[in-house]
Amino acid sequence: MAAARAGIAAYVPGPMKLFGRGFRPFFLLASAHAVVFVPIWLCVVLGWIAPPKWLWLTVWHAHEMIFGFCAAAIAGFLLTAVPNWTGTTAIAGRRLAVLAALWLAGRVMMAFAGQVPWFAAAVDLAFLPMFALAIGPPIY
């Protein structure tokens, strides 16, 4: 029965196919984050790009590792594992797309954190509570 429910949630037609399972967008986002930010980080460390004046380099690096790469990787894993562990329907489609967009908005807002720090922090920090609300009920 649980496998049938998980199979139904996995079928998302058309362009939303990316959002058929939790690992698809979040593992893609985690790997894209690494592909984009490692060269940027190297350019900043080598002095080819000026670092953001509002954030220390080590703090920026730690923040992007925790809230960027690791949050996406953990979200992808848990959005796939929780339905298997609990026998519930996987989060898919628009709900998953909204979670992925919220994660991505947090990454984008880091570029504007020097101008609008409170708004950037609110957007960036909103992902983890929303993610917890998404996976909490099946675990409970």
PDB file of all heavy atoms in Angstrom, residues 26 29 33 37 63-64 67-68 97-113 116 119-127:
ATOM      1  N   PHE A  26      16.703  18.888  -5.068  1.00  0.00           N
ATOM      2  CA  PHE A  26      17.653  19.282  -4.035  1.00  0.00           C
ATOM      3  C   PHE A  26      19.049  18.733  -4.266  1.00  0.00           C
ATOM      4  O   PHE A  26      20.033  19.413  -3.972  1.00  0.00           O
ATOM      5  CB  PHE A  26      17.115  18.936  -2.648  1.00  0.00           C
ATOM      6  CG  PHE A  26      16.085  19.921  -2.202  1.00  0.00           C
ATOM      7  CD1 PHE A  26      14.746  19.601  -2.221  1.00  0.00           C
ATOM      8  CD2 PHE A  26      16.448  21.185  -1.804  1.00  0.00           C
ATOM      9  CE1 PHE A  26      13.788  20.522  -1.842  1.00  0.00           C
ATOM     10  CE2 PHE A  26      15.505  22.129  -1.418  1.00  0.00           C
ATOM     11  CZ  PHE A  26      14.171  21.792  -1.434  1.00  0.00           C
ATOM     12  N   LEU A  29      20.270  21.018  -6.960  1.00  0.00           N
ATOM     13  CA  LEU A  29      20.627  22.323  -6.407  1.00  0.00           C
ATOM     14  C   LEU A  29      21.913  22.261  -5.592  1.00  0.00           C
ATOM     15  O   LEU A  29      22.742  23.175  -5.660  1.00  0.00           O
ATOM     16  CB  LEU A  29      19.484  22.871  -5.553  1.00  0.00           C
ATOM     17  CG  LEU A  29      18.265  23.369  -6.319  1.00  0.00           C
ATOM     18  CD1 LEU A  29      17.105  23.640  -5.358  1.00  0.00           C
ATOM     19  CD2 LEU A  29      18.600  24.596  -7.132  1.00  0.00           C
ATOM     20  N   HIS A  33      25.111  24.293  -6.649  1.00  0.00           N
ATOM     21  CA  HIS A  33      25.668  25.225  -5.669  1.00  0.00           C
ATOM     22  C   HIS A  33      27.179  25.035  -5.572  1.00  0.00           C
ATOM     23  O   HIS A  33      27.934  26.014  -5.571  1.00  0.00           O
ATOM     24  CB  HIS A  33      24.996  24.993  -4.313  1.00  0.00           C
ATOM     25  CG  HIS A  33      25.425  25.951  -3.257  1.00  0.00           C
ATOM     26  ND1 HIS A  33      26.515  25.722  -2.455  1.00  0.00           N
ATOM     27  CD2 HIS A  33      24.926  27.150  -2.863  1.00  0.00           C
ATOM     28  CE1 HIS A  33      26.649  26.721  -1.608  1.00  0.00           C
ATOM     29  NE2 HIS A  33      25.697  27.604  -1.844  1.00  0.00           N
ATOM     30  N   PHE A  37      29.683  27.951  -6.573  1.00  0.00           N
ATOM     31  CA  PHE A  37      30.320  28.666  -5.477  1.00  0.00           C
ATOM     32  C   PHE A  37      31.774  28.301  -5.241  1.00  0.00           C
ATOM     33  O   PHE A  37      32.528  29.129  -4.733  1.00  0.00           O
ATOM     34  CB  PHE A  37      29.516  28.503  -4.183  1.00  0.00           C
ATOM     35  CG  PHE A  37      28.381  29.475  -4.106  1.00  0.00           C
ATOM     36  CD1 PHE A  37      27.123  29.127  -4.539  1.00  0.00           C
ATOM     37  CD2 PHE A  37      28.589  30.752  -3.629  1.00  0.00           C
ATOM     38  CE1 PHE A  37      26.082  30.027  -4.496  1.00  0.00           C
ATOM     39  CE2 PHE A  37      27.552  31.662  -3.577  1.00  0.00           C
ATOM     40  CZ  PHE A  37      26.300  31.304  -4.012  1.00  0.00           C
ATOM     41  N   HIS A  63      28.564  29.818   6.280  1.00  0.00           N
ATOM     42  CA  HIS A  63      27.133  30.007   6.046  1.00  0.00           C
ATOM     43  C   HIS A  63      26.670  29.283   4.787  1.00  0.00           C
ATOM     44  O   HIS A  63      25.648  28.592   4.791  1.00  0.00           O
ATOM     45  CB  HIS A  63      26.819  31.504   5.932  1.00  0.00           C
ATOM     46  CG  HIS A  63      25.384  31.766   5.664  1.00  0.00           C
ATOM     47  ND1 HIS A  63      24.877  31.829   4.383  1.00  0.00           N
ATOM     48  CD2 HIS A  63      24.329  31.957   6.492  1.00  0.00           C
ATOM     49  CE1 HIS A  63      23.579  32.043   4.446  1.00  0.00           C
ATOM     50  NE2 HIS A  63      23.222  32.131   5.711  1.00  0.00           N
ATOM     51  N   GLU A  64      27.410  29.421   3.693  1.00  0.00           N
ATOM     52  CA  GLU A  64      27.014  28.765   2.450  1.00  0.00           C
ATOM     53  C   GLU A  64      27.148  27.248   2.535  1.00  0.00           C
ATOM     54  O   GLU A  64      26.387  26.523   1.901  1.00  0.00           O
ATOM     55  CB  GLU A  64      27.815  29.317   1.267  1.00  0.00           C
ATOM     56  CG  GLU A  64      27.375  30.692   0.859  1.00  0.00           C
ATOM     57  CD  GLU A  64      25.881  30.775   0.552  1.00  0.00           C
ATOM     58  OE1 GLU A  64      25.352  29.917  -0.160  1.00  0.00           O
ATOM     59  OE2 GLU A  64      25.242  31.716   1.038  1.00  0.00           O
ATOM     60  N   PHE A  67      23.855  26.495   5.201  1.00  0.00           N
ATOM     61  CA  PHE A  67      22.532  26.848   4.691  1.00  0.00           C
ATOM     62  C   PHE A  67      22.387  26.616   3.194  1.00  0.00           C
ATOM     63  O   PHE A  67      21.277  26.570   2.682  1.00  0.00           O
ATOM     64  CB  PHE A  67      22.202  28.308   5.028  1.00  0.00           C
ATOM     65  CG  PHE A  67      21.992  28.525   6.483  1.00  0.00           C
ATOM     66  CD1 PHE A  67      23.011  29.000   7.270  1.00  0.00           C
ATOM     67  CD2 PHE A  67      20.768  28.249   7.066  1.00  0.00           C
ATOM     68  CE1 PHE A  67      22.827  29.199   8.623  1.00  0.00           C
ATOM     69  CE2 PHE A  67      20.564  28.447   8.412  1.00  0.00           C
ATOM     70  CZ  PHE A  67      21.605  28.921   9.199  1.00  0.00           C
ATOM     71  N   GLY A  68      23.492  26.500   2.505  1.00  0.00           N
ATOM     72  CA  GLY A  68      23.454  26.266   1.071  1.00  0.00           C
ATOM     73  C   GLY A  68      23.589  24.793   0.744  1.00  0.00           C
ATOM     74  O   GLY A  68      22.605  24.067   0.593  1.00  0.00           O
ATOM     75  N   ALA A  97       8.282  22.221  -5.340  1.00  0.00           N
ATOM     76  CA  ALA A  97       8.809  23.356  -6.105  1.00  0.00           C
ATOM     77  C   ALA A  97       8.903  24.605  -5.228  1.00  0.00           C
ATOM     78  O   ALA A  97       9.870  25.370  -5.338  1.00  0.00           O
ATOM     79  CB  ALA A  97       7.932  23.625  -7.325  1.00  0.00           C
ATOM     80  N   VAL A  98       7.930  24.812  -4.359  1.00  0.00           N
ATOM     81  CA  VAL A  98       7.967  25.968  -3.455  1.00  0.00           C
ATOM     82  C   VAL A  98       9.132  25.838  -2.479  1.00  0.00           C
ATOM     83  O   VAL A  98       9.841  26.814  -2.214  1.00  0.00           O
ATOM     84  CB  VAL A  98       6.622  26.123  -2.705  1.00  0.00           C
ATOM     85  CG1 VAL A  98       6.731  27.111  -1.561  1.00  0.00           C
ATOM     86  CG2 VAL A  98       5.536  26.554  -3.679  1.00  0.00           C
ATOM     87  N   LEU A  99       9.367  24.646  -1.946  1.00  0.00           N
ATOM     88  CA  LEU A  99      10.507  24.438  -1.052  1.00  0.00           C
ATOM     89  C   LEU A  99      11.825  24.719  -1.775  1.00  0.00           C
ATOM     90  O   LEU A  99      12.710  25.374  -1.233  1.00  0.00           O
ATOM     91  CB  LEU A  99      10.513  23.011  -0.509  1.00  0.00           C
ATOM     92  CG  LEU A  99       9.665  22.731   0.711  1.00  0.00           C
ATOM     93  CD1 LEU A  99       9.694  21.253   1.057  1.00  0.00           C
ATOM     94  CD2 LEU A  99      10.124  23.560   1.892  1.00  0.00           C
ATOM     95  N   ALA A 100      11.951  24.213  -2.992  1.00  0.00           N
ATOM     96  CA  ALA A 100      13.177  24.433  -3.759  1.00  0.00           C
ATOM     97  C   ALA A 100      13.351  25.916  -4.078  1.00  0.00           C
ATOM     98  O   ALA A 100      14.468  26.447  -3.996  1.00  0.00           O
ATOM     99  CB  ALA A 100      13.155  23.601  -5.037  1.00  0.00           C
ATOM    100  N   ALA A 101      12.275  26.593  -4.423  1.00  0.00           N
ATOM    101  CA  ALA A 101      12.343  28.027  -4.720  1.00  0.00           C
ATOM    102  C   ALA A 101      12.730  28.822  -3.476  1.00  0.00           C
ATOM    103  O   ALA A 101      13.469  29.811  -3.567  1.00  0.00           O
ATOM    104  CB  ALA A 101      11.013  28.514  -5.275  1.00  0.00           C
ATOM    105  N   LEU A 102      12.248  28.403  -2.324  1.00  0.00           N
ATOM    106  CA  LEU A 102      12.601  29.083  -1.075  1.00  0.00           C
ATOM    107  C   LEU A 102      14.082  28.914  -0.770  1.00  0.00           C
ATOM    108  O   LEU A 102      14.754  29.862  -0.355  1.00  0.00           O
ATOM    109  CB  LEU A 102      11.743  28.554   0.075  1.00  0.00           C
ATOM    110  CG  LEU A 102      11.849  29.270   1.398  1.00  0.00           C
ATOM    111  CD1 LEU A 102      11.509  30.743   1.256  1.00  0.00           C
ATOM    112  CD2 LEU A 102      10.912  28.611   2.411  1.00  0.00           C
ATOM    113  N   TRP A 103      14.611  27.711  -0.985  1.00  0.00           N
ATOM    114  CA  TRP A 103      16.050  27.492  -0.798  1.00  0.00           C
ATOM    115  C   TRP A 103      16.845  28.381  -1.754  1.00  0.00           C
ATOM    116  O   TRP A 103      17.809  29.030  -1.355  1.00  0.00           O
ATOM    117  CB  TRP A 103      16.401  26.025  -1.025  1.00  0.00           C
ATOM    118  CG  TRP A 103      17.853  25.748  -0.875  1.00  0.00           C
ATOM    119  CD1 TRP A 103      18.514  25.416   0.266  1.00  0.00           C
ATOM    120  CD2 TRP A 103      18.861  25.814  -1.900  1.00  0.00           C
ATOM    121  NE1 TRP A 103      19.856  25.270   0.019  1.00  0.00           N
ATOM    122  CE2 TRP A 103      20.085  25.507  -1.306  1.00  0.00           C
ATOM    123  CE3 TRP A 103      18.826  26.100  -3.253  1.00  0.00           C
ATOM    124  CZ2 TRP A 103      21.283  25.474  -2.024  1.00  0.00           C
ATOM    125  CZ3 TRP A 103      20.010  26.075  -3.974  1.00  0.00           C
ATOM    126  CH2 TRP A 103      21.224  25.764  -3.356  1.00  0.00           C
ATOM    127  N   LEU A 104      16.427  28.402  -3.016  1.00  0.00           N
ATOM    128  CA  LEU A 104      17.114  29.195  -4.029  1.00  0.00           C
ATOM    129  C   LEU A 104      17.017  30.690  -3.710  1.00  0.00           C
ATOM    130  O   LEU A 104      17.991  31.439  -3.891  1.00  0.00           O
ATOM    131  CB  LEU A 104      16.534  28.900  -5.403  1.00  0.00           C
ATOM    132  CG  LEU A 104      17.293  29.428  -6.601  1.00  0.00           C
ATOM    133  CD1 LEU A 104      18.712  28.900  -6.629  1.00  0.00           C
ATOM    134  CD2 LEU A 104      16.566  29.037  -7.872  1.00  0.00           C
ATOM    135  N   ALA A 105      15.877  31.143  -3.215  1.00  0.00           N
ATOM    136  CA  ALA A 105      15.716  32.549  -2.840  1.00  0.00           C
ATOM    137  C   ALA A 105      16.685  32.929  -1.719  1.00  0.00           C
ATOM    138  O   ALA A 105      17.229  34.039  -1.719  1.00  0.00           O
ATOM    139  CB  ALA A 105      14.276  32.821  -2.406  1.00  0.00           C
ATOM    140  N   GLY A 106      16.919  32.018  -0.807  1.00  0.00           N
ATOM    141  CA  GLY A 106      17.893  32.274   0.255  1.00  0.00           C
ATOM    142  C   GLY A 106      19.298  32.458  -0.282  1.00  0.00           C
ATOM    143  O   GLY A 106      20.055  33.316   0.184  1.00  0.00           O
ATOM    144  N   ARG A 107      19.660  31.679  -1.284  1.00  0.00           N
ATOM    145  CA  ARG A 107      20.983  31.818  -1.892  1.00  0.00           C
ATOM    146  C   ARG A 107      21.091  33.151  -2.634  1.00  0.00           C
ATOM    147  O   ARG A 107      22.101  33.837  -2.567  1.00  0.00           O
ATOM    148  CB  ARG A 107      21.279  30.679  -2.880  1.00  0.00           C
ATOM    149  CG  ARG A 107      21.051  29.288  -2.361  1.00  0.00           C
ATOM    150  CD  ARG A 107      22.057  28.736  -1.329  1.00  0.00           C
ATOM    151  NE  ARG A 107      22.397  29.553  -0.203  1.00  0.00           N
ATOM    152  CZ  ARG A 107      21.660  29.697   0.912  1.00  0.00           C
ATOM    153  NH1 ARG A 107      20.529  29.075   1.048  1.00  0.00           N
ATOM    154  NH2 ARG A 107      22.072  30.474   1.896  1.00  0.00           N
ATOM    155  N   VAL A 108      20.043  33.517  -3.353  1.00  0.00           N
ATOM    156  CA  VAL A 108      20.051  34.775  -4.109  1.00  0.00           C
ATOM    157  C   VAL A 108      20.095  35.961  -3.150  1.00  0.00           C
ATOM    158  O   VAL A 108      20.812  36.939  -3.394  1.00  0.00           O
ATOM    159  CB  VAL A 108      18.823  34.852  -5.043  1.00  0.00           C
ATOM    160  CG1 VAL A 108      18.681  36.230  -5.646  1.00  0.00           C
ATOM    161  CG2 VAL A 108      18.919  33.787  -6.125  1.00  0.00           C
ATOM    162  N   MET A 109      19.352  35.882  -2.057  1.00  0.00           N
ATOM    163  CA  MET A 109      19.296  37.006  -1.115  1.00  0.00           C
ATOM    164  C   MET A 109      20.640  37.271  -0.442  1.00  0.00           C
ATOM    165  O   MET A 109      20.887  38.384   0.016  1.00  0.00           O
ATOM    166  CB  MET A 109      18.219  36.767  -0.054  1.00  0.00           C
ATOM    167  CG  MET A 109      16.812  36.960  -0.581  1.00  0.00           C
ATOM    168  SD  MET A 109      16.545  38.539  -1.429  1.00  0.00           S
ATOM    169  CE  MET A 109      16.864  39.706  -0.132  1.00  0.00           C
ATOM    170  N   MET A 110      21.516  36.286  -0.404  1.00  0.00           N
ATOM    171  CA  MET A 110      22.841  36.516   0.174  1.00  0.00           C
ATOM    172  C   MET A 110      23.608  37.569  -0.625  1.00  0.00           C
ATOM    173  O   MET A 110      24.461  38.263  -0.076  1.00  0.00           O
ATOM    174  CB  MET A 110      23.640  35.215   0.250  1.00  0.00           C
ATOM    175  CG  MET A 110      23.204  34.303   1.376  1.00  0.00           C
ATOM    176  SD  MET A 110      23.278  35.083   2.988  1.00  0.00           S
ATOM    177  CE  MET A 110      25.034  35.302   3.181  1.00  0.00           C
ATOM    178  N   ALA A 111      23.307  37.697  -1.904  1.00  0.00           N
ATOM    179  CA  ALA A 111      23.964  38.723  -2.708  1.00  0.00           C
ATOM    180  C   ALA A 111      23.508  40.125  -2.313  1.00  0.00           C
ATOM    181  O   ALA A 111      24.230  41.097  -2.537  1.00  0.00           O
ATOM    182  CB  ALA A 111      23.681  38.481  -4.189  1.00  0.00           C
ATOM    183  N   PHE A 112      22.319  40.233  -1.717  1.00  0.00           N
ATOM    184  CA  PHE A 112      21.763  41.527  -1.331  1.00  0.00           C
ATOM    185  C   PHE A 112      21.771  41.742   0.180  1.00  0.00           C
ATOM    186  O   PHE A 112      21.158  42.686   0.661  1.00  0.00           O
ATOM    187  CB  PHE A 112      20.330  41.656  -1.860  1.00  0.00           C
ATOM    188  CG  PHE A 112      20.245  41.509  -3.344  1.00  0.00           C
ATOM    189  CD1 PHE A 112      19.780  40.332  -3.901  1.00  0.00           C
ATOM    190  CD2 PHE A 112      20.646  42.533  -4.180  1.00  0.00           C
ATOM    191  CE1 PHE A 112      19.710  40.181  -5.271  1.00  0.00           C
ATOM    192  CE2 PHE A 112      20.585  42.396  -5.546  1.00  0.00           C
ATOM    193  CZ  PHE A 112      20.118  41.211  -6.103  1.00  0.00           C
ATOM    194  N   ALA A 113      22.435  40.882   0.910  1.00  0.00           N
ATOM    195  CA  ALA A 113      22.410  40.971   2.367  1.00  0.00           C
ATOM    196  C   ALA A 113      23.069  42.246   2.880  1.00  0.00           C
ATOM    197  O   ALA A 113      22.741  42.699   3.968  1.00  0.00           O
ATOM    198  CB  ALA A 113      23.079  39.741   2.983  1.00  0.00           C
ATOM    199  N   VAL A 116      19.932  44.903   2.351  1.00  0.00           N
ATOM    200  CA  VAL A 116      18.708  44.612   3.113  1.00  0.00           C
ATOM    201  C   VAL A 116      18.956  43.410   4.032  1.00  0.00           C
ATOM    202  O   VAL A 116      18.437  42.322   3.813  1.00  0.00           O
ATOM    203  CB  VAL A 116      17.512  44.360   2.173  1.00  0.00           C
ATOM    204  CG1 VAL A 116      17.018  45.645   1.557  1.00  0.00           C
ATOM    205  CG2 VAL A 116      17.859  43.356   1.091  1.00  0.00           C
ATOM    206  N   PHE A 119      15.792  41.488   5.728  1.00  0.00           N
ATOM    207  CA  PHE A 119      14.982  40.768   4.747  1.00  0.00           C
ATOM    208  C   PHE A 119      15.739  39.564   4.204  1.00  0.00           C
ATOM    209  O   PHE A 119      15.176  38.472   4.064  1.00  0.00           O
ATOM    210  CB  PHE A 119      14.567  41.706   3.612  1.00  0.00           C
ATOM    211  CG  PHE A 119      13.651  41.059   2.628  1.00  0.00           C
ATOM    212  CD1 PHE A 119      12.363  40.699   2.991  1.00  0.00           C
ATOM    213  CD2 PHE A 119      14.080  40.781   1.344  1.00  0.00           C
ATOM    214  CE1 PHE A 119      11.512  40.078   2.084  1.00  0.00           C
ATOM    215  CE2 PHE A 119      13.241  40.177   0.429  1.00  0.00           C
ATOM    216  CZ  PHE A 119      11.945  39.825   0.802  1.00  0.00           C
ATOM    217  N   ALA A 120      17.023  39.752   3.915  1.00  0.00           N
ATOM    218  CA  ALA A 120      17.839  38.644   3.423  1.00  0.00           C
ATOM    219  C   ALA A 120      17.917  37.522   4.451  1.00  0.00           C
ATOM    220  O   ALA A 120      17.798  36.338   4.108  1.00  0.00           O
ATOM    221  CB  ALA A 120      19.239  39.135   3.064  1.00  0.00           C
ATOM    222  N   ALA A 121      18.084  37.884   5.707  1.00  0.00           N
ATOM    223  CA  ALA A 121      18.151  36.870   6.760  1.00  0.00           C
ATOM    224  C   ALA A 121      16.817  36.143   6.902  1.00  0.00           C
ATOM    225  O   ALA A 121      16.788  34.916   7.064  1.00  0.00           O
ATOM    226  CB  ALA A 121      18.535  37.519   8.091  1.00  0.00           C
ATOM    227  N   ALA A 122      15.722  36.874   6.822  1.00  0.00           N
ATOM    228  CA  ALA A 122      14.400  36.251   6.949  1.00  0.00           C
ATOM    229  C   ALA A 122      14.145  35.271   5.816  1.00  0.00           C
ATOM    230  O   ALA A 122      13.664  34.152   6.049  1.00  0.00           O
ATOM    231  CB  ALA A 122      13.313  37.329   6.975  1.00  0.00           C
ATOM    232  N   VAL A 123      14.486  35.653   4.602  1.00  0.00           N
ATOM    233  CA  VAL A 123      14.284  34.752   3.457  1.00  0.00           C
ATOM    234  C   VAL A 123      15.196  33.538   3.576  1.00  0.00           C
ATOM    235  O   VAL A 123      14.774  32.400   3.375  1.00  0.00           O
ATOM    236  CB  VAL A 123      14.531  35.500   2.123  1.00  0.00           C
ATOM    237  CG1 VAL A 123      14.541  34.539   0.942  1.00  0.00           C
ATOM    238  CG2 VAL A 123      13.472  36.570   1.918  1.00  0.00           C
ATOM    239  N   ASP A 124      16.451  33.782   3.922  1.00  0.00           N
ATOM    240  CA  ASP A 124      17.415  32.687   4.020  1.00  0.00           C
ATOM    241  C   ASP A 124      17.057  31.714   5.139  1.00  0.00           C
ATOM    242  O   ASP A 124      17.154  30.499   4.970  1.00  0.00           O
ATOM    243  CB  ASP A 124      18.809  33.254   4.244  1.00  0.00           C
ATOM    244  CG  ASP A 124      19.901  32.226   4.006  1.00  0.00           C
ATOM    245  OD1 ASP A 124      19.653  31.243   3.278  1.00  0.00           O
ATOM    246  OD2 ASP A 124      21.005  32.411   4.528  1.00  0.00           O
ATOM    247  N   LEU A 125      16.623  32.235   6.263  1.00  0.00           N
ATOM    248  CA  LEU A 125      16.299  31.376   7.402  1.00  0.00           C
ATOM    249  C   LEU A 125      14.921  30.726   7.294  1.00  0.00           C
ATOM    250  O   LEU A 125      14.609  29.829   8.063  1.00  0.00           O
ATOM    251  CB  LEU A 125      16.394  32.173   8.701  1.00  0.00           C
ATOM    252  CG  LEU A 125      17.806  32.622   9.080  1.00  0.00           C
ATOM    253  CD1 LEU A 125      17.761  33.528  10.299  1.00  0.00           C
ATOM    254  CD2 LEU A 125      18.702  31.426   9.331  1.00  0.00           C
ATOM    255  N   ALA A 126      14.092  31.151   6.373  1.00  0.00           N
ATOM    256  CA  ALA A 126      12.738  30.597   6.244  1.00  0.00           C
ATOM    257  C   ALA A 126      12.734  29.172   5.718  1.00  0.00           C
ATOM    258  O   ALA A 126      11.797  28.413   5.983  1.00  0.00           O
ATOM    259  CB  ALA A 126      11.895  31.480   5.329  1.00  0.00           C
ATOM    260  N   PHE A 127      13.772  28.776   4.994  1.00  0.00           N
ATOM    261  CA  PHE A 127      13.770  27.448   4.383  1.00  0.00           C
ATOM    262  C   PHE A 127      13.704  26.333   5.426  1.00  0.00           C
ATOM    263  O   PHE A 127      12.894  25.412   5.302  1.00  0.00           O
ATOM    264  CB  PHE A 127      14.993  27.240   3.484  1.00  0.00           C
ATOM    265  CG  PHE A 127      15.114  25.822   3.013  1.00  0.00           C
ATOM    266  CD1 PHE A 127      14.223  25.319   2.075  1.00  0.00           C
ATOM    267  CD2 PHE A 127      16.081  24.979   3.527  1.00  0.00           C
ATOM    268  CE1 PHE A 127      14.302  23.992   1.656  1.00  0.00           C
ATOM    269  CE2 PHE A 127      16.171  23.662   3.110  1.00  0.00           C
ATOM    270  CZ  PHE A 127      15.283  23.176   2.166  1.00  0.00           C
TER     271      PHE A 127
END
